Amino acid sequence: MIIELTDDEIGILLSTAAHVPAMHNARPCRFEVHGPVIDALVDPVPDETLAGSSVRATHLGVGAAVLNLRVAAAMLGHQTHFATLPDPARPEIKARIFLAGRGSPVAELSHLYGETTRRHLIREQLVDRPIQPRIRRVLDRAARAEEAKLHWLETPARSRLDALLRQTTDADAGGFHSFSTRGPQRRAFAGYGYPYRTGDLLDRTTEDLTGAAVAVLITRDEDEDAWIRAGMALQRVLLVATSHGLAATYLDQLTERTETRAQVRRLVAGHWPQMVLRIGYPAQSNGHTGRRDWHEPVDRWF
């Protein structure tokens, strides 16, 4: 049976895919729609113009967009399958999503659709309230569903991470100080390409952040496929966290520098750290954020 997507379906799929938090220094992806097959692409640029962290962040961003698209497809009743790096002749295609015929909403992911328009990342204070073990296990399952894992940092590893954050701040005067002290904080939506992410640093102070849990999203492998899957895991964790009233902040400066990332890797038993997250309950309820025009990320239809 030939599957044809309506313009409305395409609009829902692509607007949802575009509605993801930014990865610092990541390039935005675009989409090609070929009937029930949707490609997520990143325009190639000369390798020498990109730092390794920017390449990795771009793949994380692609993965996050793909996860959102899968969530929207599930809400519309489409089972999805995907392949990473599907065409060696076109390395700019980072992921290819295949949509099956429309049926009932797909239970595994469709329940997360309502969370895609809510704020997952915040700059505000998190209250001093522990995350219940049951909810941590739910977040763990969300990461594992996309072949990644959350490594929760407890004392003394968290204290070592705090010291590392201070060292990073000393090396980069515009960075994020400590999650247990007051200081300048990186914008949660730093980057470009989306209307709700502007600027890089927030010139303000924050309250004591000791109430938040800290988790490192880790993968076993370190390659493009692992980065894309980590991006899907990251977005799935954020959506599930939001559904439980939680919010997060990226501590991405810890994974942007090669030497700093190596030190974080030692804290997680040699696995590859893809993102460090501060997760907790926001002092104010999460609101909705504006959608990007879905026509913008579309390249062409067939």
Side-chain angles (χ1 to χ4, degrees), residues 68-124:
N68 263 17
L69 191 147
R70 289 168 52 202
V71 166
M75 182 275 298
L76 291 171
H78 295 282
Q79 291 276 1
T80 57
H81 303 280
F82 67 89
T84 60
L85 311 172
D87 188 349
R90 296 190 65 193
E92 70 273 16
I93 301 177
K94 301 302 180 182
R96 176 167 289 163
I97 305 94
F98 304 88
L99 276 66
R102 188 170 184 176
S104 300
V106 182
E108 180 188 6
L109 287 173
S110 62
H111 68 287
L112 295 175
Y113 179 75
E115 312 303 330
T116 60
T117 59
R118 298 180 65 193
R119 292 178 61 198
H120 321 309
L121 301 180
I122 66 169
R123 302 186 297 271
E124 294 81 5

Side-chain angles (χ1 to χ4, degrees), residues 127-245:
V127 300
D128 189 8
R129 174 186 168 191
I131 301 173
Q132 296 178 5
R134 174 185 63 84
I135 297 179
R136 281 198 182 193
R137 290 192 293 270
V138 172
L139 297 176
D140 289 339
R141 288 196 296 270
R144 289 197 302 269
E146 304 301 335
E147 301 185 16
K149 184 179 179 180
L150 282 179
H151 184 108
W152 298 88
L153 294 184
E154 310 296 347
T155 305
R158 179 164 167 160
S159 298
R160 293 199 293 270
L161 187 75
D162 185 81
L164 185 57
L165 276 168
R166 292 173 183 271
Q167 295 170 15
T168 304
T169 301
D170 291 339
D172 181 0
F176 187 112
H177 277 207
S178 164
F179 54 73
S180 62
T181 60
R182 298 171 64 91
Q185 183 176 11
R186 187 184 302 277
R187 281 192 185 274
F189 299 110
Y192 52 86
Y194 290 80
Y196 47 86
R197 343 178 268 191
T198 57
D200 185 25
L201 299 175
L202 182 64
D203 186 16
R204 64 186 293 271
T205 58
T206 60
E207 300 298 327
D208 190 355
L209 304 176
T210 54
V214 177
V216 185
L217 182 75
I218 59 176
T219 57
R220 182 185 60 186
D221 299 319
E222 173 74 344
D223 53 28
E224 287 186 86
D225 175 76
W227 297 337
I228 295 168
R229 291 177 182 273
M232 287 189 277
L234 177 61
Q235 184 64 7
R236 188 160 180 157
V237 166
L238 292 176
L239 293 177
V240 171
T242 304
S243 73
H244 287 276

Side-chain angles (χ1 to χ4, degrees), residues 4-27:
E4 294 291 342
L5 298 178
T6 67
D7 287 356
D8 286 343
E9 284 186 301
I10 292 172
I12 291 170
L13 292 168
L14 298 185
S15 63
T16 305
H19 198 84
V20 294
M23 308 294 164
H24 185 59
N25 285 337
R27 290 170 290 149

